[in-house]
mmCIF file of all heavy atoms in Angstrom:
data_model
loop_
_atom_site.group_PDB
_atom_site.id
_atom_site.type_symbol
_atom_site.label_atom_id
_atom_site.label_comp_id
_atom_site.label_asym_id
_atom_site.label_seq_id
_atom_site.Cartn_x
_atom_site.Cartn_y
_atom_site.Cartn_z
ATOM 1 N N ARG A 1 160.952 64.649 93.355
ATOM 2 C CA ARG A 1 160.773 66.040 93.712
ATOM 3 C C ARG A 1 162.050 66.811 93.443
ATOM 4 O O ARG A 1 163.152 66.261 93.462
ATOM 5 C CB ARG A 1 160.346 66.184 95.157
ATOM 6 C CG ARG A 1 161.413 65.773 96.163
ATOM 7 C CD ARG A 1 160.807 65.690 97.587
ATOM 8 N NE ARG A 1 160.365 66.988 98.053
ATOM 9 C CZ ARG A 1 159.478 67.156 99.032
ATOM 10 N NH1 ARG A 1 158.956 66.101 99.640
ATOM 11 N NH2 ARG A 1 159.122 68.373 99.422
ATOM 12 N N ASP A 2 161.899 68.107 93.239
ATOM 13 C CA ASP A 2 163.003 69.034 93.080
ATOM 14 C C ASP A 2 162.691 70.219 93.986
ATOM 15 O O ASP A 2 161.949 71.131 93.620
ATOM 16 C CB ASP A 2 163.157 69.475 91.626
ATOM 17 C CG ASP A 2 164.378 70.321 91.375
ATOM 18 O OD1 ASP A 2 164.861 70.969 92.325
ATOM 19 O OD2 ASP A 2 164.846 70.344 90.235
ATOM 20 N N ASN A 3 163.239 70.189 95.191
ATOM 21 C CA ASN A 3 162.911 71.231 96.155
ATOM 22 C C ASN A 3 163.411 72.612 95.707
ATOM 23 O O ASN A 3 162.798 73.626 96.035
ATOM 24 C CB ASN A 3 163.499 70.873 97.536
ATOM 25 C CG ASN A 3 162.714 69.766 98.214
ATOM 26 O OD1 ASN A 3 161.586 69.481 97.852
ATOM 27 N ND2 ASN A 3 163.331 69.151 99.189
ATOM 28 N N ALA A 4 164.504 72.642 94.983
ATOM 29 C CA ALA A 4 165.030 73.917 94.492
ATOM 30 C C ALA A 4 164.041 74.596 93.537
ATOM 31 O O ALA A 4 163.967 75.831 93.478
ATOM 32 C CB ALA A 4 166.364 73.720 93.821
ATOM 33 N N LYS A 5 163.309 73.757 92.774
ATOM 34 C CA LYS A 5 162.321 74.297 91.829
ATOM 35 C C LYS A 5 160.905 74.309 92.399
ATOM 36 O O LYS A 5 159.971 74.716 91.713
ATOM 37 C CB LYS A 5 162.343 73.477 90.536
ATOM 38 C CG LYS A 5 163.641 73.595 89.758
ATOM 39 C CD LYS A 5 163.567 72.789 88.443
ATOM 40 C CE LYS A 5 164.846 72.944 87.660
ATOM 41 N NZ LYS A 5 164.814 72.162 86.401
ATOM 42 N N ASN A 6 160.774 73.805 93.617
ATOM 43 C CA ASN A 6 159.442 73.739 94.257
ATOM 44 C C ASN A 6 158.474 72.873 93.439
ATOM 45 O O ASN A 6 157.296 73.231 93.285
ATOM 46 C CB ASN A 6 158.860 75.146 94.417
ATOM 47 C CG ASN A 6 158.596 75.500 95.875
ATOM 48 O OD1 ASN A 6 158.926 74.751 96.789
ATOM 49 N ND2 ASN A 6 157.978 76.654 96.081
ATOM 50 N N MET A 7 158.983 71.750 92.958
ATOM 51 C CA MET A 7 158.208 70.888 92.057
ATOM 52 C C MET A 7 158.212 69.439 92.537
ATOM 53 O O MET A 7 159.181 68.940 93.125
ATOM 54 C CB MET A 7 158.777 70.914 90.650
ATOM 55 C CG MET A 7 158.746 72.261 89.940
ATOM 56 S SD MET A 7 157.072 72.754 89.461
ATOM 57 C CE MET A 7 156.716 71.491 88.227
ATOM 58 N N VAL A 8 157.101 68.755 92.237
ATOM 59 C CA VAL A 8 156.972 67.324 92.477
ATOM 60 C C VAL A 8 156.475 66.697 91.184
ATOM 61 O O VAL A 8 155.644 67.316 90.469
ATOM 62 C CB VAL A 8 156.003 67.004 93.621
ATOM 63 C CG1 VAL A 8 155.918 65.482 93.855
ATOM 64 C CG2 VAL A 8 156.448 67.699 94.894
ATOM 65 N N TYR A 9 156.962 65.493 90.874
ATOM 66 C CA TYR A 9 156.612 64.860 89.617
ATOM 67 C C TYR A 9 156.085 63.450 89.862
ATOM 68 O O TYR A 9 156.408 62.805 90.843
ATOM 69 C CB TYR A 9 157.832 64.785 88.702
ATOM 70 C CG TYR A 9 158.501 66.103 88.484
ATOM 71 C CD1 TYR A 9 159.636 66.463 89.207
ATOM 72 C CD2 TYR A 9 158.007 67.021 87.543
ATOM 73 C CE1 TYR A 9 160.260 67.682 89.020
ATOM 74 C CE2 TYR A 9 158.634 68.238 87.350
ATOM 75 C CZ TYR A 9 159.771 68.573 88.084
ATOM 76 O OH TYR A 9 160.362 69.779 87.877
ATOM 77 N N LEU A 10 155.278 62.970 88.903
ATOM 78 C CA LEU A 10 154.849 61.587 88.900
ATOM 79 C C LEU A 10 155.053 61.071 87.492
ATOM 80 O O LEU A 10 154.320 61.449 86.574
ATOM 81 C CB LEU A 10 153.403 61.429 89.327
ATOM 82 C CG LEU A 10 152.913 59.974 89.447
ATOM 83 C CD1 LEU A 10 153.620 59.269 90.626
ATOM 84 C CD2 LEU A 10 151.397 59.904 89.619
ATOM 85 N N GLN A 11 156.076 60.235 87.316
ATOM 86 C CA GLN A 11 156.321 59.618 86.044
ATOM 87 C C GLN A 11 155.512 58.317 85.978
ATOM 88 O O GLN A 11 155.675 57.448 86.825
ATOM 89 C CB GLN A 11 157.827 59.292 85.881
ATOM 90 C CG GLN A 11 158.166 58.551 84.595
ATOM 91 C CD GLN A 11 157.921 59.412 83.349
ATOM 92 O OE1 GLN A 11 158.252 60.601 83.347
ATOM 93 N NE2 GLN A 11 157.362 58.817 82.309
ATOM 94 N N MET A 12 154.672 58.232 84.969
ATOM 95 C CA MET A 12 153.777 57.081 84.845
ATOM 96 C C MET A 12 154.088 56.340 83.549
ATOM 97 O O MET A 12 153.991 56.921 82.451
ATOM 98 C CB MET A 12 152.321 57.546 84.836
ATOM 99 C CG MET A 12 151.950 58.393 86.060
ATOM 100 S SD MET A 12 150.200 58.784 86.139
ATOM 101 C CE MET A 12 150.045 59.845 84.710
ATOM 102 N N ASN A 13 154.496 55.108 83.678
ATOM 103 C CA ASN A 13 154.817 54.258 82.518
ATOM 104 C C ASN A 13 153.836 53.094 82.428
ATOM 105 O O ASN A 13 153.170 52.753 83.395
ATOM 106 C CB ASN A 13 156.258 53.724 82.635
ATOM 107 C CG ASN A 13 157.272 54.837 82.662
ATOM 108 O OD1 ASN A 13 157.117 55.894 82.053
ATOM 109 N ND2 ASN A 13 158.365 54.600 83.366
ATOM 110 N N SER A 14 153.784 52.501 81.248
ATOM 111 C CA SER A 14 152.924 51.325 81.023
ATOM 112 C C SER A 14 151.503 51.586 81.535
ATOM 113 O O SER A 14 150.932 50.775 82.290
ATOM 114 C CB SER A 14 153.527 50.089 81.706
ATOM 115 O OG SER A 14 154.824 49.823 81.247
ATOM 116 N N LEU A 15 150.947 52.688 81.134
ATOM 117 C CA LEU A 15 149.637 53.060 81.624
ATOM 118 C C LEU A 15 148.555 52.073 81.197
ATOM 119 O O LEU A 15 148.613 51.508 80.077
ATOM 120 C CB LEU A 15 149.273 54.472 81.135
ATOM 121 C CG LEU A 15 149.968 55.594 81.919
ATOM 122 C CD1 LEU A 15 149.980 56.888 81.149
ATOM 123 C CD2 LEU A 15 149.285 55.785 83.267
ATOM 124 N N LYS A 16 147.586 51.899 82.081
ATOM 125 C CA LYS A 16 146.473 50.972 81.846
ATOM 126 C C LYS A 16 145.154 51.739 81.914
ATOM 127 O O LYS A 16 145.086 52.781 82.582
ATOM 128 C CB LYS A 16 146.478 49.884 82.919
ATOM 129 C CG LYS A 16 147.766 49.106 83.040
ATOM 130 C CD LYS A 16 147.700 48.140 84.224
ATOM 131 C CE LYS A 16 148.997 47.372 84.394
ATOM 132 N NZ LYS A 16 148.949 46.434 85.548
ATOM 133 N N PRO A 17 144.120 51.232 81.298
ATOM 134 C CA PRO A 17 142.809 51.922 81.383
ATOM 135 C C PRO A 17 142.377 52.153 82.820
ATOM 136 O O PRO A 17 141.722 53.164 83.136
ATOM 137 C CB PRO A 17 141.883 50.970 80.633
ATOM 138 C CG PRO A 17 142.752 50.311 79.635
ATOM 139 C CD PRO A 17 144.075 50.131 80.339
ATOM 140 N N GLU A 18 142.716 51.224 83.726
ATOM 141 C CA GLU A 18 142.315 51.385 85.124
ATOM 142 C C GLU A 18 143.090 52.492 85.858
ATOM 143 O O GLU A 18 142.791 52.803 87.009
ATOM 144 C CB GLU A 18 142.449 50.050 85.895
ATOM 145 C CG GLU A 18 143.802 49.388 85.737
ATOM 146 C CD GLU A 18 143.800 48.306 84.661
ATOM 147 O OE1 GLU A 18 143.232 48.550 83.577
ATOM 148 O OE2 GLU A 18 144.399 47.234 84.914
ATOM 149 N N ASP A 19 144.061 53.094 85.191
ATOM 150 C CA ASP A 19 144.753 54.255 85.762
ATOM 151 C C ASP A 19 143.979 55.547 85.503
ATOM 152 O O ASP A 19 144.365 56.611 85.981
ATOM 153 C CB ASP A 19 146.151 54.388 85.180
ATOM 154 C CG ASP A 19 147.063 53.231 85.570
ATOM 155 O OD1 ASP A 19 147.034 52.817 86.751
ATOM 156 O OD2 ASP A 19 147.850 52.773 84.713
ATOM 157 N N THR A 20 142.898 55.459 84.732
ATOM 158 C CA THR A 20 142.107 56.632 84.422
ATOM 159 C C THR A 20 141.522 57.228 85.707
ATOM 160 O O THR A 20 140.857 56.511 86.485
ATOM 161 C CB THR A 20 140.989 56.263 83.453
ATOM 162 O OG1 THR A 20 141.542 55.888 82.206
ATOM 163 C CG2 THR A 20 140.030 57.441 83.230
ATOM 164 N N ALA A 21 141.777 58.508 85.918
ATOM 165 C CA ALA A 21 141.321 59.165 87.155
ATOM 166 C C ALA A 21 141.757 60.639 87.123
ATOM 167 O O ALA A 21 142.539 61.024 86.263
ATOM 168 C CB ALA A 21 141.920 58.486 88.390
ATOM 169 N N VAL A 22 141.233 61.378 88.062
ATOM 170 C CA VAL A 22 141.777 62.709 88.352
ATOM 171 C C VAL A 22 142.918 62.514 89.361
ATOM 172 O O VAL A 22 142.719 61.870 90.393
ATOM 173 C CB VAL A 22 140.711 63.660 88.897
ATOM 174 C CG1 VAL A 22 141.321 65.022 89.239
ATOM 175 C CG2 VAL A 22 139.571 63.819 87.900
ATOM 176 N N TYR A 23 144.060 63.066 89.051
ATOM 177 C CA TYR A 23 145.239 62.909 89.904
ATOM 178 C C TYR A 23 145.468 64.206 90.678
ATOM 179 O O TYR A 23 145.477 65.301 90.099
ATOM 180 C CB TYR A 23 146.457 62.568 89.071
ATOM 181 C CG TYR A 23 146.474 61.111 88.637
ATOM 182 C CD1 TYR A 23 145.586 60.655 87.659
ATOM 183 C CD2 TYR A 23 147.344 60.200 89.209
ATOM 184 C CE1 TYR A 23 145.555 59.320 87.280
ATOM 185 C CE2 TYR A 23 147.341 58.871 88.828
ATOM 186 C CZ TYR A 23 146.444 58.437 87.870
ATOM 187 O OH TYR A 23 146.436 57.109 87.486
ATOM 188 N N PHE A 24 145.680 64.040 91.978
ATOM 189 C CA PHE A 24 145.855 65.169 92.889
ATOM 190 C C PHE A 24 147.222 65.104 93.538
ATOM 191 O O PHE A 24 147.696 64.049 93.937
ATOM 192 C CB PHE A 24 144.798 65.143 93.985
ATOM 193 C CG PHE A 24 143.387 65.278 93.500
ATOM 194 C CD1 PHE A 24 142.629 64.156 93.177
ATOM 195 C CD2 PHE A 24 142.780 66.530 93.407
ATOM 196 C CE1 PHE A 24 141.338 64.262 92.747
ATOM 197 C CE2 PHE A 24 141.473 66.656 92.977
ATOM 198 C CZ PHE A 24 140.745 65.516 92.636
ATOM 199 N N CYS A 25 147.797 66.271 93.691
ATOM 200 C CA CYS A 25 149.036 66.443 94.470
ATOM 201 C C CYS A 25 148.642 66.934 95.856
ATOM 202 O O CYS A 25 147.694 67.735 96.006
ATOM 203 C CB CYS A 25 149.899 67.478 93.743
ATOM 204 S SG CYS A 25 151.413 67.906 94.572
ATOM 205 N N ALA A 26 149.328 66.453 96.870
ATOM 206 C CA ALA A 26 148.991 66.832 98.228
ATOM 207 C C ALA A 26 150.261 67.003 99.080
ATOM 208 O O ALA A 26 151.301 66.392 98.786
ATOM 209 C CB ALA A 26 148.102 65.753 98.868
ATOM 210 N N ALA A 27 150.167 67.825 100.104
ATOM 211 C CA ALA A 27 151.302 68.112 100.975
ATOM 212 C C ALA A 27 150.928 67.911 102.434
ATOM 213 O O ALA A 27 149.801 68.239 102.852
ATOM 214 C CB ALA A 27 151.796 69.526 100.737
ATOM 215 N N ARG A 28 151.890 67.398 103.162
ATOM 216 C CA ARG A 28 151.695 67.162 104.606
ATOM 217 C C ARG A 28 152.947 67.615 105.349
ATOM 218 O O ARG A 28 154.051 67.216 105.013
ATOM 219 C CB ARG A 28 151.482 65.665 104.844
ATOM 220 C CG ARG A 28 151.438 65.212 106.271
ATOM 221 C CD ARG A 28 151.090 63.732 106.349
ATOM 222 N NE ARG A 28 151.024 63.306 107.753
ATOM 223 C CZ ARG A 28 152.018 62.707 108.382
ATOM 224 N NH1 ARG A 28 153.143 62.460 107.754
ATOM 225 N NH2 ARG A 28 151.892 62.380 109.649
ATOM 226 N N GLY A 29 152.707 68.478 106.338
ATOM 227 C CA GLY A 29 153.822 68.956 107.138
ATOM 228 C C GLY A 29 154.493 67.800 107.860
ATOM 229 O O GLY A 29 153.826 66.882 108.340
ATOM 230 N N SER A 30 155.827 67.814 107.912
ATOM 231 C CA SER A 30 156.521 66.656 108.464
ATOM 232 C C SER A 30 157.709 67.049 109.353
ATOM 233 O O SER A 30 158.814 66.569 109.143
ATOM 234 C CB SER A 30 157.037 65.754 107.348
ATOM 235 O OG SER A 30 158.026 66.463 106.592
ATOM 236 N N PRO A 31 157.473 67.901 110.329
ATOM 237 C CA PRO A 31 158.605 68.310 111.162
ATOM 238 C C PRO A 31 159.204 67.118 111.906
ATOM 239 O O PRO A 31 158.543 66.503 112.711
ATOM 240 C CB PRO A 31 157.992 69.334 112.111
ATOM 241 C CG PRO A 31 156.527 69.035 112.108
ATOM 242 C CD PRO A 31 156.213 68.507 110.755
ATOM 243 N N GLY A 32 160.420 66.763 111.575
ATOM 244 C CA GLY A 32 161.102 65.688 112.257
ATOM 245 C C GLY A 32 160.644 64.282 111.923
ATOM 246 O O GLY A 32 161.016 63.324 112.580
ATOM 247 N N SER A 33 159.844 64.139 110.863
ATOM 248 C CA SER A 33 159.315 62.816 110.554
ATOM 249 C C SER A 33 159.441 62.527 109.052
ATOM 250 O O SER A 33 159.291 63.428 108.246
ATOM 251 C CB SER A 33 157.835 62.729 110.948
ATOM 252 O OG SER A 33 157.262 61.521 110.453
ATOM 253 N N ASP A 34 159.714 61.285 108.697
ATOM 254 C CA ASP A 34 159.725 60.862 107.321
ATOM 255 C C ASP A 34 158.651 59.822 107.047
ATOM 256 O O ASP A 34 158.757 59.020 106.141
ATOM 257 C CB ASP A 34 161.108 60.315 106.945
ATOM 258 C CG ASP A 34 162.065 61.403 106.526
ATOM 259 O OD1 ASP A 34 161.588 62.521 106.290
ATOM 260 O OD2 ASP A 34 163.268 61.125 106.479
ATOM 261 N N TYR A 35 157.604 59.834 107.845
ATOM 262 C CA TYR A 35 156.509 58.874 107.666
ATOM 263 C C TYR A 35 155.633 59.301 106.498
ATOM 264 O O TYR A 35 155.061 60.391 106.502
ATOM 265 C CB TYR A 35 155.678 58.789 108.947
ATOM 266 C CG TYR A 35 154.413 57.996 108.794
ATOM 267 C CD1 TYR A 35 154.470 56.629 108.529
ATOM 268 C CD2 TYR A 35 153.166 58.603 108.905
ATOM 269 C CE1 TYR A 35 153.290 55.902 108.379
ATOM 270 C CE2 TYR A 35 152.003 57.878 108.747
ATOM 271 C CZ TYR A 35 152.062 56.527 108.501
ATOM 272 O OH TYR A 35 150.931 55.823 108.362
ATOM 273 N N ILE A 36 155.507 58.451 105.501
ATOM 274 C CA ILE A 36 154.671 58.731 104.336
ATOM 275 C C ILE A 36 153.299 58.138 104.567
ATOM 276 O O ILE A 36 153.119 56.909 104.465
ATOM 277 C CB ILE A 36 155.318 58.185 103.040
ATOM 278 C CG1 ILE A 36 156.670 58.789 102.805
ATOM 279 C CG2 ILE A 36 154.386 58.448 101.835
ATOM 280 C CD1 ILE A 36 157.427 58.195 101.629
ATOM 281 N N SER A 37 152.344 58.955 104.893
ATOM 282 C CA SER A 37 150.995 58.465 105.170
ATOM 283 C C SER A 37 150.261 58.174 103.863
ATOM 284 O O SER A 37 150.393 58.911 102.883
ATOM 285 C CB SER A 37 150.221 59.506 105.977
ATOM 286 O OG SER A 37 148.869 59.101 106.098
ATOM 287 N N ARG A 38 149.473 57.119 103.863
ATOM 288 C CA ARG A 38 148.639 56.774 102.722
ATOM 289 C C ARG A 38 147.194 57.271 102.895
ATOM 290 O O ARG A 38 146.346 57.039 102.047
ATOM 291 C CB ARG A 38 148.633 55.258 102.503
ATOM 292 C CG ARG A 38 149.951 54.734 101.991
ATOM 293 C CD ARG A 38 149.978 53.219 101.986
ATOM 294 N NE ARG A 38 150.036 52.676 103.344
ATOM 295 C CZ ARG A 38 149.958 51.389 103.622
ATOM 296 N NH1 ARG A 38 149.733 50.505 102.680
ATOM 297 N NH2 ARG A 38 150.058 51.001 104.876
ATOM 298 N N SER A 39 146.955 57.943 104.008
ATOM 299 C CA SER A 39 145.609 58.433 104.285
ATOM 300 C C SER A 39 145.414 59.819 103.755
ATOM 301 O O SER A 39 146.174 60.757 104.111
ATOM 302 C CB SER A 39 145.328 58.415 105.786
ATOM 303 O OG SER A 39 144.124 59.084 106.076
ATOM 304 N N ARG A 40 144.381 60.049 102.967
ATOM 305 C CA ARG A 40 144.120 61.365 102.406
ATOM 306 C C ARG A 40 143.823 62.379 103.513
ATOM 307 O O ARG A 40 144.043 63.578 103.346
ATOM 308 C CB ARG A 40 142.924 61.294 101.453
ATOM 309 C CG ARG A 40 141.663 60.774 102.085
ATOM 310 C CD ARG A 40 140.480 60.792 101.141
ATOM 311 N NE ARG A 40 140.031 62.151 100.891
ATOM 312 C CZ ARG A 40 138.907 62.459 100.271
ATOM 313 N NH1 ARG A 40 138.102 61.480 99.847
ATOM 314 N NH2 ARG A 40 138.564 63.716 100.053
ATOM 315 N N TYR A 41 143.344 61.895 104.645
ATOM 316 C CA TYR A 41 142.954 62.811 105.735
ATOM 317 C C TYR A 41 144.147 63.405 106.468
ATOM 318 O O TYR A 41 143.979 64.328 107.270
ATOM 319 C CB TYR A 41 142.027 62.071 106.680
ATOM 320 C CG TYR A 41 140.790 61.553 105.998
ATOM 321 C CD1 TYR A 41 140.637 60.194 105.694
ATOM 322 C CD2 TYR A 41 139.788 62.418 105.587
ATOM 323 C CE1 TYR A 41 139.518 59.735 105.019
ATOM 324 C CE2 TYR A 41 138.669 61.959 104.915
ATOM 325 C CZ TYR A 41 138.542 60.627 104.630
ATOM 326 O OH TYR A 41 137.432 60.157 103.963
ATOM 327 N N GLU A 42 145.324 62.900 106.201
ATOM 328 C CA GLU A 42 146.513 63.436 106.865
ATOM 329 C C GLU A 42 147.257 64.433 105.997
ATOM 330 O O GLU A 42 148.345 64.885 106.346
ATOM 331 C CB GLU A 42 147.448 62.288 107.256
ATOM 332 C CG GLU A 42 146.826 61.370 108.328
ATOM 333 C CD GLU A 42 147.833 60.407 108.945
ATOM 334 O OE1 GLU A 42 149.045 60.661 108.846
ATOM 335 O OE2 GLU A 42 147.401 59.395 109.525
#
């Protein structure tokens, strides 16, 4: 991420056919926390 530019990136190397998908960016408010949730519902 580059907070100064308000950007997030995903560098993908050695791509495989099983990586085929629609890719979504998502944001979660994190006041005082650095917990990276793997749940889409959060």
Side-chain angles (χ1 to χ4, degrees):
R1 67 191 296 159
D2 186 334
N3 286 342
K5 294 182 178 179
N6 241 6
M7 297 288 295
V8 181
Y9 306 99
L10 185 68
Q11 177 66 42
M12 305 186 294
N13 299 328
S14 302
L15 282 161
K16 305 175 181 180
E18 51 263 44
D19 294 319
T20 294
V22 177
Y23 283 71
F24 297 90
C25 177
R28 173 175 181 262
S30 65
S33 171
D34 275 347
Y35 171 65
I36 300 174
S37 173
R38 290 171 289 174
S39 170
R40 58 177 289 192
Y41 301 105
E42 295 192 19

